[in-house]
Amino acid sequence: MLKKRIIPVLLLLNGRMVKGKNFQNYIDTGIPSTQVKIYNSQDADELIFLNISRERNEDLQNILKIASKECFIPLSAGGNIRNLTDVKNILDSGADKVVLNTNAYNNRTLVKEIVNNYGFSTLIISIDYKIINNEPVVFVNCGKENTSTNLFEYIKEIEDIGVGELMITAI
C-alpha cells in the first residue's frame, strides 16, 4: 500500500506568498513564516518553497533561514537555481533538497552535477505539463513555454540521469 504524504507547495513572489491560477493572476496570501508554523503544527510531511520571481534567491534564502529554525520537517526549495553555487546557497540556508524545473530542462549538465555532488536524494525535478492533441507536453518558464517534448520521454531521460524525485504538475 502506498504511504500518503502531505507536501504543501508555497509559491513565493518577491519574498511574499502568493496563489494564482494557471501561473497567472497572483494574489498576495501573506508572510511565509506564518504558513511554516501552521504546516509544521499540522504535521505536514515536507514543505516546498518555489521562488517564482525572476530575481535571484536572496529572499528565498532568508525565508529558508527563518523556516529551518521554526520547522522540524524537511524543506525543499527551488526557483532560479542556475549553478552549483546556487544549490550550495539554498542548502546552506536550511533546505534539505533543491527543486529544478526550467533549468533542469534547459541544462541537463546541471542536473548531473547536482546528482554527482550532492546525491540523487537532494534533487527534485519539477515538471509542468499540458495535454495538447491528446499528448502530455512539457512546459517551462512558469507554464508559458511549450517545449514540444512528450512528458513520458522527458521523465525517462531524467530518470536515466539518476534523479531521486519528480514533482509533476498538470497545468
Side-chain angles (χ1 to χ4, degrees), residues 44-133:
D45 294 297
E46 183 174 341
L47 280 178
I48 297 177
F49 294 93
L50 297 178
N51 178 14
I52 60 171
S53 64
R54 294 286 175 208
E55 287 77 42
R56 301 298 279 177
N57 284 315
E58 287 81 14
D59 286 337
L60 177 58
Q61 291 171 31
N62 290 332
I63 290 165
L64 286 168
K65 287 175 185 173
I66 293 166
S68 65
K69 290 177 183 166
E70 298 177 357
C71 185
F72 303 102
I73 58 178
L75 300 174
S76 300
N80 299 315
I81 296 174
R82 296 179 177 97
N83 53 49
L84 285 180
T85 300
D86 291 341
V87 171
K88 181 182 184 323
N89 290 340
I90 294 297
L91 295 174
D92 287 350
S93 296
D96 299 291
K97 302 177 202 173
V98 295
V99 181
L100 289 184
N101 185 305
T102 301
N103 289 331
Y105 184 84
N106 292 333
N107 187 353
R108 305 300 195 288
T109 301
L110 175 60
V111 174
K112 291 174 188 173
E113 288 175 343
I114 295 170
V115 170
N116 290 338
N117 284 277
Y118 293 98
F120 70 91
S121 63
T122 303
L123 179 59
I124 300 170
I125 299 298
S126 171
I127 305 171
D128 301 323
Y129 79 95
K130 290 181 186 178
I131 301 295
I132 309 252
N133 298 324

Coordinates of all heavy atoms in Angstrom, one line a residue, residues 44-133:
A44 N 2.5 18.4 8.5 CA 2.8 18.1 7.1 C 4.1 17.3 7.0 O 5.0 17.4 7.9 CB 3.0 19.5 6.4
D45 N 4.3 16.6 5.9 CA 5.4 15.7 5.8 C 6.7 16.4 5.3 O 7.8 16.0 5.5 CB 5.1 14.5 4.9 CG 4.1 13.6 5.5 OD1 4.3 13.0 6.6 OD2 2.9 13.5 4.9
E46 N 6.4 17.5 4.6 CA 7.5 18.2 3.9 C 6.9 19.5 3.5 O 5.7 19.6 3.2 CB 8.1 17.4 2.8 CG 9.3 18.0 2.0 CD 9.8 17.1 1.0 OE1 9.6 15.9 1.0 OE2 10.5 17.6 0.1
L47 N 7.8 20.6 3.3 CA 7.3 21.8 2.7 C 8.2 22.1 1.5 O 9.4 21.9 1.5 CB 7.5 23.0 3.7 CG 6.4 23.2 4.7 CD1 6.8 24.4 5.6 CD2 5.1 23.4 4.1
I48 N 7.6 22.6 0.4 CA 8.3 23.0 -0.8 C 8.1 24.5 -1.0 O 7.0 24.9 -1.1 CB 7.9 22.2 -2.0 CG1 8.2 20.7 -1.8 CG2 8.6 22.7 -3.3 CD1 7.8 19.8 -2.9
F49 N 9.2 25.2 -1.1 CA 9.1 26.7 -1.4 C 9.6 26.8 -2.8 O 10.7 26.4 -3.2 CB 10.1 27.5 -0.5 CG 9.7 27.5 0.9 CD1 10.3 26.6 1.8 CD2 8.9 28.5 1.4 CE1 9.9 26.6 3.1 CE2 8.5 28.5 2.8 CZ 9.1 27.5 3.6
L50 N 8.8 27.5 -3.7 CA 9.2 27.8 -5.0 C 9.2 29.3 -5.3 O 8.1 30.0 -5.2 CB 8.2 27.1 -6.0 CG 8.2 25.6 -6.0 CD1 7.1 25.1 -7.0 CD2 9.5 25.0 -6.2
N51 N 10.4 29.8 -5.5 CA 10.5 31.2 -5.9 C 10.2 31.4 -7.3 O 10.9 31.0 -8.2 CB 12.0 31.7 -5.6 CG 12.2 33.1 -5.9 OD1 11.3 33.9 -6.1 ND2 13.5 33.5 -6.0
I52 N 9.0 32.1 -7.6 CA 8.6 32.3 -9.0 C 9.0 33.7 -9.5 O 8.6 34.0 -10.6 CB 7.1 32.1 -9.1 CG1 6.3 33.0 -8.2 CG2 6.8 30.6 -8.8 CD1 4.8 32.9 -8.5
S53 N 9.7 34.5 -8.7 CA 10.1 35.8 -9.2 C 11.3 35.6 -10.1 O 12.0 34.5 -10.0 CB 10.4 36.7 -8.1 OG 11.5 36.3 -7.3
R54 N 11.6 36.5 -10.9 CA 12.8 36.4 -11.8 C 14.1 36.8 -11.2 O 15.1 36.6 -11.7 CB 12.6 37.3 -13.1 CG 11.4 36.8 -13.9 CD 11.8 35.6 -14.7 NE 10.7 35.0 -15.4 CZ 10.5 33.7 -15.7 NH1 11.4 32.9 -15.3 NH2 9.5 33.3 -16.3
E55 N 14.0 37.4 -10.0 CA 15.2 37.8 -9.3 C 16.0 36.6 -8.7 O 15.4 35.5 -8.6 CB 14.9 38.8 -8.2 CG 14.5 40.2 -8.7 CD 13.1 40.2 -9.3 OE1 12.2 39.6 -8.6 OE2 12.9 40.8 -10.3
R56 N 17.1 36.9 -8.3 CA 17.9 35.8 -7.6 C 17.3 35.4 -6.3 O 16.2 35.9 -5.9 CB 19.4 36.3 -7.4 CG 20.1 36.7 -8.6 CD 20.3 35.6 -9.6 NE 21.4 34.8 -9.2 CZ 21.8 33.7 -9.8 NH1 21.1 33.3 -10.8 NH2 22.8 33.0 -9.3
N57 N 17.9 34.6 -5.5 CA 17.2 33.9 -4.4 C 17.5 34.5 -3.0 O 17.4 33.7 -2.1 CB 17.6 32.4 -4.5 CG 16.8 31.7 -5.6 OD1 15.7 31.9 -5.7 ND2 17.5 30.9 -6.3
E58 N 17.9 35.7 -2.9 CA 18.2 36.2 -1.5 C 16.9 36.2 -0.6 O 17.0 35.8 0.5 CB 18.7 37.7 -1.6 CG 20.1 37.8 -2.1 CD 20.2 37.7 -3.7 OE1 19.2 37.9 -4.4 OE2 21.3 37.5 -4.2
D59 N 15.8 36.5 -1.2 CA 14.5 36.4 -0.4 C 14.3 35.0 0.0 O 13.9 34.7 1.2 CB 13.3 36.9 -1.2 CG 13.2 38.4 -1.3 OD1 13.9 39.1 -0.5 OD2 12.6 38.9 -2.3
L60 N 14.4 34.1 -0.9 CA 14.2 32.6 -0.6 C 15.2 32.2 0.5 O 14.8 31.4 1.4 CB 14.4 31.8 -1.9 CG 14.3 30.3 -1.8 CD1 12.9 29.9 -1.2 CD2 14.5 29.6 -3.1
Q61 N 16.5 32.6 0.4 CA 17.5 32.2 1.3 C 17.1 32.7 2.7 O 17.2 31.9 3.7 CB 18.8 32.6 0.9 CG 19.4 31.9 -0.3 CD 20.6 32.5 -0.8 OE1 21.4 33.1 -0.1 NE2 20.8 32.4 -2.2
N62 N 16.6 33.9 2.8 CA 16.2 34.5 4.1 C 15.0 33.7 4.7 O 15.0 33.4 5.9 CB 15.9 36.0 4.0 CG 17.2 36.8 3.8 OD1 18.3 36.4 4.2 ND2 17.0 37.9 3.1
I63 N 14.1 33.4 3.8 CA 12.9 32.7 4.3 C 13.3 31.3 4.8 O 12.8 30.8 5.8 CB 11.9 32.6 3.1 CG1 11.2 34.0 2.9 CG2 10.8 31.5 3.4 CD1 10.5 34.1 1.6
L64 N 14.2 30.6 4.1 CA 14.7 29.3 4.5 C 15.4 29.3 5.8 O 15.2 28.4 6.7 CB 15.6 28.7 3.4 CG 14.9 28.2 2.2 CD1 15.9 27.9 1.1 CD2 14.0 27.0 2.5
K65 N 16.2 30.4 6.1 CA 16.9 30.5 7.3 C 15.9 30.6 8.5 O 16.1 30.0 9.5 CB 17.8 31.7 7.3 CG 19.0 31.5 6.4 CD 19.9 32.8 6.3 CE 21.0 32.5 5.3 NZ 21.8 33.8 5.1
I66 N 14.8 31.4 8.3 CA 13.8 31.5 9.3 C 13.0 30.2 9.5 O 12.8 29.7 10.6 CB 12.9 32.7 9.0 CG1 13.6 34.0 9.1 CG2 11.6 32.7 9.9 CD1 12.9 35.2 8.5
A67 N 12.6 29.6 8.3 CA 11.8 28.4 8.4 C 12.5 27.3 9.0 O 11.9 26.5 9.8 CB 11.4 28.1 6.9
S68 N 13.8 27.1 8.7 CA 14.6 26.0 9.3 C 14.7 26.1 10.8 O 14.9 25.0 11.4 CB 15.9 25.9 8.6 OG 16.7 27.0 8.9
K69 N 14.6 27.2 11.3 CA 14.6 27.4 12.8 C 13.3 27.1 13.5 O 13.2 26.7 14.6 CB 15.1 28.8 13.2 CG 16.5 29.0 12.8 CD 16.9 30.5 13.1 CE 18.4 30.7 12.7 NZ 18.7 32.1 12.7
E70 N 12.2 27.3 12.7 CA 10.8 27.1 13.2 C 10.2 25.8 12.8 O 9.1 25.5 13.3 CB 10.0 28.3 12.7 CG 10.5 29.7 13.2 CD 9.6 30.8 12.6 OE1 8.7 30.5 11.8 OE2 9.9 31.9 13.0
C71 N 10.8 25.1 11.9 CA 10.1 24.0 11.3 C 11.0 22.7 11.5 O 12.2 22.8 11.3 CB 10.0 24.3 9.8 SG 9.0 23.1 8.9
F72 N 10.3 21.6 11.8 CA 11.1 20.4 12.0 C 10.7 19.3 11.0 O 10.7 18.1 11.4 CB 10.9 19.9 13.5 CG 11.3 21.0 14.4 CD1 10.3 21.8 15.0 CD2 12.6 21.3 14.6 CE1 10.7 22.9 15.9 CE2 13.0 22.3 15.5 CZ 12.1 23.1 16.1
I73 N 10.3 19.7 9.8 CA 10.1 18.8 8.7 C 11.0 19.1 7.6 O 11.5 20.2 7.5 CB 8.6 18.8 8.3 CG1 8.2 20.2 7.9 CG2 7.7 18.3 9.4 CD1 6.8 20.4 7.4
P74 N 11.2 18.2 6.6 CA 12.1 18.5 5.5 C 11.6 19.7 4.7 O 10.4 19.9 4.5 CB 12.1 17.3 4.7 CG 11.7 16.2 5.6 CD 10.7 16.8 6.6
L75 N 12.6 20.6 4.3 CA 12.3 21.7 3.5 C 13.0 21.6 2.1 O 14.1 21.2 2.1 CB 12.8 23.0 4.2 CG 12.3 23.3 5.5 CD1 13.1 24.5 6.1 CD2 10.8 23.7 5.5
S76 N 12.2 21.8 1.1 CA 12.8 21.8 -0.3 C 12.5 23.2 -0.9 O 11.5 23.8 -0.5 CB 12.1 20.7 -1.1 OG 12.3 19.5 -0.5
A77 N 13.4 23.6 -1.8 CA 13.3 25.0 -2.3 C 13.8 25.0 -3.7 O 14.8 24.3 -4.1 CB 14.0 26.0 -1.4
G78 N 13.2 25.8 -4.5 CA 13.6 26.0 -5.9 C 13.2 27.3 -6.5 O 12.5 28.1 -5.9
G79 N 13.7 27.5 -7.7 CA 13.4 28.8 -8.4 C 14.7 29.5 -8.7 O 15.5 29.8 -7.7
N80 N 15.0 29.7 -9.9 CA 16.2 30.5 -10.3 C 17.5 29.8 -9.9 O 18.5 30.5 -9.6 CB 16.2 31.9 -9.8 CG 15.0 32.7 -10.3 OD1 14.7 32.6 -11.5 ND2 14.3 33.4 -9.5
I81 N 17.5 28.5 -9.8 CA 18.8 27.8 -9.4 C 19.5 27.5 -10.7 O 19.0 26.7 -11.6 CB 18.5 26.5 -8.6 CG1 17.9 26.9 -7.3 CG2 19.7 25.7 -8.5 CD1 17.4 25.7 -6.5
R82 N 20.6 28.2 -10.9 CA 21.3 28.1 -12.2 C 22.6 27.4 -12.2 O 23.2 27.1 -13.3 CB 21.5 29.5 -12.7 CG 20.3 30.3 -13.0 CD 20.5 31.7 -13.5 NE 19.3 32.4 -13.8 CZ 18.6 33.2 -13.0 NH1 19.1 33.4 -11.8 NH2 17.5 33.8 -13.4
N83 N 23.2 27.2 -11.0 CA 24.5 26.5 -10.9 C 24.7 25.9 -9.5 O 23.9 26.0 -8.7 CB 25.6 27.6 -11.2 CG 25.5 28.8 -10.4 OD1 25.3 28.7 -9.2 ND2 25.5 30.0 -11.0
L84 N 25.9 25.3 -9.4 CA 26.2 24.6 -8.1 C 26.3 25.6 -6.9 O 26.0 25.3 -5.8 CB 27.4 23.8 -8.2 CG 27.3 22.5 -9.0 CD1 28.6 21.7 -9.0 CD2 26.2 21.6 -8.4
T85 N 26.7 26.8 -7.2 CA 26.8 27.8 -6.1 C 25.4 28.2 -5.6 O 25.2 28.3 -4.4 CB 27.5 29.1 -6.7 OG1 28.8 28.8 -7.1 CG2 27.5 30.2 -5.6
D86 N 24.4 28.3 -6.5 CA 23.0 28.5 -6.1 C 22.5 27.3 -5.3 O 21.8 27.5 -4.3 CB 22.1 28.7 -7.3 CG 22.3 30.0 -8.1 OD1 22.9 30.9 -7.5 OD2 21.9 30.0 -9.2
V87 N 22.9 26.1 -5.7 CA 22.4 24.9 -4.9 C 23.0 25.0 -3.5 O 22.3 24.8 -2.5 CB 22.9 23.6 -5.6 CG1 22.7 22.4 -4.8 CG2 22.2 23.5 -7.0
K88 N 24.3 25.3 -3.4 CA 25.0 25.4 -2.1 C 24.3 26.4 -1.2 O 24.1 26.2 -0.1 CB 26.5 25.7 -2.3 CG 27.3 25.7 -1.0 CD 28.7 26.1 -1.3 CE 29.6 26.1 0.0 NZ 29.0 26.6 1.2
N89 N 24.1 27.6 -1.8 CA 23.4 28.7 -1.0 C 22.1 28.3 -0.5 O 21.7 28.6 0.6 CB 23.3 29.9 -1.9 CG 24.6 30.6 -2.2 OD1 25.6 30.3 -1.4 ND2 24.7 31.4 -3.2
I90 N 21.3 27.6 -1.3 CA 19.9 27.1 -0.9 C 20.1 26.1 0.2 O 19.4 26.1 1.3 CB 19.1 26.6 -2.1 CG1 18.8 27.6 -3.1 CG2 17.9 25.8 -1.6 CD1 18.0 28.8 -2.6
L91 N 21.0 25.1 0.1 CA 21.2 24.1 1.1 C 21.7 24.7 2.4 O 21.3 24.3 3.5 CB 22.1 23.0 0.5 CG 21.5 22.2 -0.6 CD1 22.5 21.2 -1.2 CD2 20.2 21.4 -0.2
D92 N 22.7 25.6 2.2 CA 23.3 26.3 3.4 C 22.3 27.1 4.2 O 22.4 27.4 5.3 CB 24.5 27.1 3.0 CG 25.7 26.3 2.7 OD1 25.7 25.1 2.9 OD2 26.7 26.9 2.1
S93 N 21.2 27.5 3.5 CA 20.2 28.4 4.1 C 19.1 27.5 4.9 O 18.3 28.1 5.5 CB 19.5 29.2 3.0 OG 20.4 30.1 2.5
G94 N 19.2 26.2 4.7 CA 18.3 25.4 5.5 C 17.5 24.4 4.7 O 16.8 23.6 5.3
A95 N 17.6 24.4 3.4 CA 16.8 23.4 2.6 C 17.5 22.1 2.7 O 18.7 22.0 2.8 CB 16.7 23.9 1.2
D96 N 16.7 21.0 2.6 CA 17.2 19.7 2.6 C 17.3 19.2 1.1 O 18.1 18.3 0.9 CB 16.2 18.7 3.3 CG 16.1 19.1 4.8 OD1 17.1 18.9 5.5 OD2 15.0 19.6 5.2
K97 N 16.5 19.8 0.2 CA 16.6 19.4 -1.2 C 16.4 20.7 -2.0 O 15.8 21.7 -1.5 CB 15.4 18.5 -1.5 CG 15.4 17.2 -0.7 CD 14.1 16.4 -1.1 CE 13.8 15.4 -0.1 NZ 12.5 14.8 -0.4
V98 N 16.8 20.6 -3.3 CA 16.5 21.7 -4.2 C 15.6 21.2 -5.3 O 15.6 20.0 -5.6 CB 17.8 22.3 -4.8 CG1 18.7 22.9 -3.8 CG2 18.6 21.2 -5.6
V99 N 14.8 22.1 -5.8 CA 13.9 21.8 -6.9 C 14.3 22.6 -8.1 O 14.5 23.8 -8.1 CB 12.4 22.2 -6.4 CG1 11.4 21.9 -7.5 CG2 12.1 21.6 -5.1
L100 N 14.3 21.8 -9.2 CA 14.6 22.4 -10.5 C 13.5 22.2 -11.5 O 12.9 21.1 -11.5 CB 15.9 21.9 -11.2 CG 17.2 22.2 -10.6 CD1 18.3 21.5 -11.5 CD2 17.5 23.6 -10.5
N101 N 13.2 23.1 -12.3 CA 12.2 22.9 -13.3 C 12.8 23.4 -14.7 O 13.4 22.6 -15.4 CB 10.9 23.7 -13.0 CG 9.8 23.5 -14.0 OD1 9.9 23.6 -15.2 ND2 8.6 23.0 -13.5
T102 N 12.6 24.7 -15.0 CA 13.1 25.2 -16.3 C 14.6 24.9 -16.5 O 15.0 24.4 -17.6 CB 12.8 26.7 -16.4 OG1 11.4 26.9 -16.3 CG2 13.3 27.2 -17.8
N103 N 15.4 25.1 -15.5 CA 16.8 24.9 -15.6 C 17.2 23.5 -15.7 O 18.3 23.1 -16.2 CB 17.6 25.7 -14.5 CG 17.5 27.2 -14.8 OD1 17.4 27.7 -15.9 ND2 17.6 28.0 -13.7
A104 N 16.4 22.6 -15.2 CA 16.6 21.2 -15.4 C 16.4 20.8 -16.9 O 17.2 20.1 -17.5 CB 15.7 20.3 -14.5
Y105 N 15.3 21.3 -17.4 CA 15.0 21.1 -18.8 C 16.1 21.6 -19.8 O 16.5 21.0 -20.7 CB 13.6 21.6 -19.2 CG 13.3 21.3 -20.6 CD1 12.7 20.0 -20.9 CD2 13.6 22.1 -21.7 CE1 12.4 19.7 -22.2 CE2 13.2 21.7 -23.0 CZ 12.7 20.5 -23.2 OH 12.4 20.1 -24.5
N106 N 16.5 22.9 -19.5 CA 17.5 23.6 -20.3 C 18.9 23.1 -20.1 O 19.8 23.4 -21.0 CB 17.4 25.1 -20.2 CG 16.1 25.6 -20.7 OD1 15.4 25.0 -21.6 ND2 15.6 26.7 -20.1
N107 N 19.2 22.5 -19.0 CA 20.6 22.3 -18.6 C 20.8 20.9 -17.9 O 20.9 20.9 -16.7 CB 21.2 23.4 -17.8 CG 22.6 23.3 -17.5 OD1 23.3 22.4 -17.8 ND2 23.2 24.4 -16.9
R108 N 20.8 19.9 -18.7 CA 21.0 18.5 -18.1 C 22.3 18.4 -17.4 O 22.4 17.6 -16.5 CB 20.8 17.4 -19.2 CG 19.6 17.4 -20.0 CD 18.3 17.2 -19.3 NE 17.2 16.9 -20.1 CZ 16.6 17.7 -21.0 NH1 17.0 18.9 -21.1 NH2 15.6 17.3 -21.8
T109 N 23.3 19.1 -17.9 CA 24.6 19.1 -17.2 C 24.5 19.5 -15.8 O 25.1 18.9 -14.9 CB 25.6 20.0 -18.0 OG1 25.7 19.5 -19.3 CG2 27.0 19.9 -17.3
L110 N 23.7 20.5 -15.5 CA 23.5 21.0 -14.1 C 22.8 19.9 -13.3 O 23.2 19.6 -12.2 CB 22.6 22.3 -14.1 CG 22.2 22.8 -12.7 CD1 23.5 23.1 -11.9 CD2 21.3 24.0 -12.8
V111 N 21.9 19.2 -13.9 CA 21.2 18.1 -13.2 C 22.2 17.0 -12.8 O 22.3 16.6 -11.7 CB 20.1 17.5 -14.1 CG1 19.5 16.3 -13.4 CG2 19.0 18.5 -14.3
K112 N 23.1 16.7 -13.7 CA 24.1 15.7 -13.5 C 25.1 16.1 -12.4 O 25.5 15.4 -11.5 CB 24.9 15.3 -14.8 CG 24.0 14.6 -15.8 CD 24.8 14.4 -17.1 CE 23.9 13.9 -18.2 NZ 24.5 13.8 -19.5
E113 N 25.5 17.4 -12.5 CA 26.4 18.0 -11.5 C 25.8 17.9 -10.1 O 26.5 17.6 -9.1 CB 26.8 19.4 -11.8 CG 27.7 19.6 -13.0 CD 27.9 21.0 -13.4 OE1 27.2 21.9 -12.9 OE2 28.9 21.2 -14.1
I114 N 24.5 18.3 -10.0 CA 23.9 18.2 -8.6 C 23.8 16.8 -8.1 O 24.2 16.6 -7.0 CB 22.4 18.9 -8.7 CG1 22.5 20.3 -9.0 CG2 21.7 18.6 -7.4 CD1 21.2 21.0 -9.4
V115 N 23.4 15.9 -9.0 CA 23.4 14.5 -8.5 C 24.7 14.0 -8.1 O 24.9 13.3 -7.1 CB 22.7 13.6 -9.7 CG1 22.9 12.1 -9.3 CG2 21.3 13.9 -9.9
N116 N 25.8 14.3 -8.9 CA 27.1 13.8 -8.6 C 27.7 14.5 -7.4 O 28.5 13.8 -6.7 CB 28.0 14.1 -9.8 CG 27.7 13.2 -11.0 OD1 27.1 12.1 -10.9 ND2 28.1 13.6 -12.2
N117 N 27.4 15.8 -7.1 CA 28.0 16.5 -6.0 C 27.2 16.3 -4.7 O 27.7 16.4 -3.6 CB 28.1 17.9 -6.3 CG 29.3 18.2 -7.2 OD1 30.4 18.3 -6.8 ND2 29.1 18.3 -8.5
Y118 N 25.8 16.2 -4.8 CA 25.0 16.2 -3.6 C 24.2 14.9 -3.4 O 23.5 14.8 -2.4 CB 24.1 17.4 -3.6 CG 24.8 18.7 -3.5 CD1 25.1 19.5 -4.6 CD2 25.2 19.2 -2.2 CE1 25.8 20.7 -4.4 CE2 25.9 20.3 -2.1 CZ 26.2 21.1 -3.2 OH 26.9 22.3 -3.0
G119 N 24.1 14.1 -4.4 CA 23.4 12.8 -4.3 C 22.0 13.0 -4.9 O 21.4 14.1 -5.0
F120 N 21.5 11.8 -5.4 CA 20.2 11.8 -6.0 C 19.0 12.3 -5.1 O 18.0 12.8 -5.6 CB 19.9 10.5 -6.7 CG 19.6 9.4 -5.7 CD1 18.3 9.1 -5.3 CD2 20.6 8.6 -5.1 CE1 18.0 8.1 -4.3 CE2 20.3 7.7 -4.2 CZ 19.0 7.4 -3.8
S121 N 19.1 12.1 -3.8 CA 18.1 12.4 -2.9 C 18.0 13.9 -2.6 O 17.0 14.3 -1.9 CB 18.2 11.6 -1.6 OG 19.4 11.9 -1.0
T122 N 18.9 14.7 -3.1 CA 18.9 16.1 -2.8 C 18.2 16.9 -3.9 O 17.9 18.1 -3.7 CB 20.4 16.6 -2.7 OG1 21.0 15.9 -1.7 CG2 20.5 18.1 -2.4
L123 N 17.8 16.2 -4.9 CA 17.2 16.9 -6.1 C 15.8 16.4 -6.4 O 15.6 15.2 -6.5 CB 18.1 16.7 -7.3 CG 17.7 17.4 -8.6 CD1 17.6 18.9 -8.5 CD2 18.7 17.0 -9.7
I124 N 14.9 17.4 -6.6 CA 13.6 17.2 -7.1 C 13.5 17.8 -8.4 O 13.7 19.0 -8.6 CB 12.5 17.7 -6.1 CG1 12.6 17.1 -4.8 CG2 11.1 17.5 -6.7 CD1 11.7 17.8 -3.7
I125 N 13.1 17.1 -9.5 CA 12.8 17.7 -10.7 C 11.3 18.0 -10.8 O 10.5 17.1 -10.7 CB 13.2 16.8 -11.9 CG1 14.7 16.6 -11.9 CG2 12.8 17.5 -13.3 CD1 15.6 17.8 -12.0
S126 N 10.9 19.2 -11.0 CA 9.5 19.7 -11.1 C 9.2 19.7 -12.6 O 10.0 20.3 -13.4 CB 9.4 21.0 -10.5 OG 8.1 21.6 -10.8
I127 N 8.1 19.1 -13.0 CA 7.7 19.1 -14.4 C 6.3 19.6 -14.5 O 5.4 19.0 -13.9 CB 7.9 17.7 -15.0 CG1 9.3 17.1 -14.8 CG2 7.5 17.7 -16.5 CD1 9.4 15.6 -15.2
D128 N 6.1 20.6 -15.3 CA 4.8 21.1 -15.6 C 4.4 20.6 -17.0 O 5.2 20.6 -17.9 CB 4.7 22.6 -15.6 CG 5.2 23.2 -14.3 OD1 4.8 22.6 -13.3 OD2 5.8 24.3 -14.3
Y129 N 3.1 20.1 -17.2 CA 2.7 19.7 -18.5 C 1.2 20.0 -18.7 O 0.5 20.3 -17.8 CB 2.9 18.2 -18.6 CG 1.8 17.3 -17.9 CD1 0.7 16.9 -18.7 CD2 1.9 17.1 -16.6 CE1 -0.3 16.1 -18.0 CE2 0.9 16.3 -16.0 CZ -0.2 15.9 -16.7 OH -1.2 15.1 -16.1
K130 N 0.9 20.1 -20.0 CA -0.4 20.3 -20.5 C -0.7 19.2 -21.5 O 0.2 18.7 -22.2 CB -0.6 21.6 -21.2 CG -0.5 22.8 -20.3 CD -0.8 24.1 -21.2 CE -0.5 25.3 -20.3 NZ -0.7 26.5 -21.1
I131 N -2.0 18.8 -21.6 CA -2.4 17.9 -22.7 C -2.7 18.7 -24.0 O -3.5 19.6 -23.9 CB -3.7 17.1 -22.3 CG1 -3.4 16.3 -21.0 CG2 -4.1 16.2 -23.4 CD1 -2.4 15.2 -21.1
I132 N -1.9 18.4 -25.0 CA -2.1 19.0 -26.3 C -2.3 17.9 -27.3 O -1.5 17.1 -27.5 CB -0.8 19.9 -26.7 CG1 -0.4 20.8 -25.5 CG2 -1.0 20.5 -28.0 CD1 -0.7 22.2 -25.7
N133 N -3.4 18.0 -28.0 CA -3.8 16.9 -29.0 C -3.6 15.5 -28.4 O -3.0 14.6 -29.0 CB -2.9 17.1 -30.3 CG -3.1 18.4 -31.0 OD1 -4.2 18.9 -31.0 ND2 -2.0 18.9 -31.5

